[in-house]
Amino acid sequence: MSDNITPEFLQDISVLLSDSGFATNDTWYHGTSSGLVESIMTLGLSGGGDTETTERTQSTLGTIGNRQFESSEPVFLTQSKELAFYWAAQKTHTRNLYFKKDEIPVVIQVSQPEKVSPDVGGTAMLLEPSNQYILTLKAIYEQHGVAWNDANPLEVPREFYLEKLGLAYSSKNIPAEKLSILMP
């Protein structure tokens, strides 16, 4: 996927992806950076949980004269370990860039979160020309012989974001006892 090679033990798209999209069950995945794992495994997953990066962004906005903002994000999830690795690599890149650390991507398995909803926030990604995640998904679909549907994001049902894009969220925090780190 993209420039990162997903470790073999996380490769699951060939099992999950069909013409219907990505299959789901009661197990979900969250991609993150190793620098956040200790806190996550102690406190659980909470929306906007990377306070260090949020504070850095808020400080930068204040420095350049933009208004700072309050953000209440959900816990982002996906039904694929491989897609979670994509997001883990993105988070790791950002944190390594901001904090000059050598963090690595980590995928966390989430067992039976209370409620999972399709993330229609993916509309912005579909509308953005050359969005890296959408380009990555198109390549995945092609690689697995599944047709990509260039549907109008303003007209698709909510389930499209979950089934076709692998984008989901939980509006509730997820306790640590429902989490486990995936390792080879």
Side-chain angles (χ1 to χ4, degrees), residues 8-153:
E8 190 173 329
F9 76 98
L10 296 174
Q11 294 177 12
D12 63 354
I13 287 180
S14 61
V15 176
L16 295 175
L17 185 61
S18 71
D19 290 336
S20 303
F22 293 99
T24 61
N25 60 45
D26 287 337
T27 302
W28 296 85
Y29 304 96
H30 178 82
T32 192
S33 185
S34 59
L36 301 171
V37 168
E38 183 178 342
S39 174
I40 289 170
M41 297 310 289
T42 302
L43 304 172
L45 278 169
S46 60
D50 184 0
T51 55
E52 193 175 21
T53 300
T54 301
E55 288 170 1
R56 170 80 185 250
T57 302
Q58 293 285 3
S59 174
T60 301
L61 286 172
T63 301
I64 61 175
N66 285 348
R67 69 177 180 82
Q68 296 180 357
F69 58 91
E70 293 282 324
S71 176
S72 176
E73 292 186 0
V75 176
F76 295 106
L77 302 170
T78 183
Q79 63 270 53
S80 165
K81 293 179 268 191
E82 205 161 339
L83 294 178
F85 183 79
Y86 173 89
W87 293 113
Q90 300 305 305
K91 174 56 84 176
T92 301
H93 173 75
T94 299
R95 288 183 56 82
N96 285 341
L97 187 66
Y98 282 176
F99 306 118
K100 306 295 184 216
K101 297 183 180 180
D102 290 323
E103 296 181 13
I104 60 171
V106 176
V107 174
I108 296 175
Q109 181 173 303
V110 180
S111 300
Q112 301 177 334
E114 198 170 309
K115 181 179 180 201
V116 175
S117 302
D119 183 3
V120 298
T123 301
M125 286 188 263
L126 286 168
L127 292 171
E128 177 188 338
S130 301
N131 176 279
Q132 189 58 50
Y133 182 67
I134 300 304
L135 294 175
T136 298
L137 277 179
K138 286 180 178 181
I140 288 169
Y141 271 72
E142 182 179 319
Q143 178 184 4
H144 289 88
V146 177
W148 174 261
N149 180 2
D150 273 328
N152 180 343

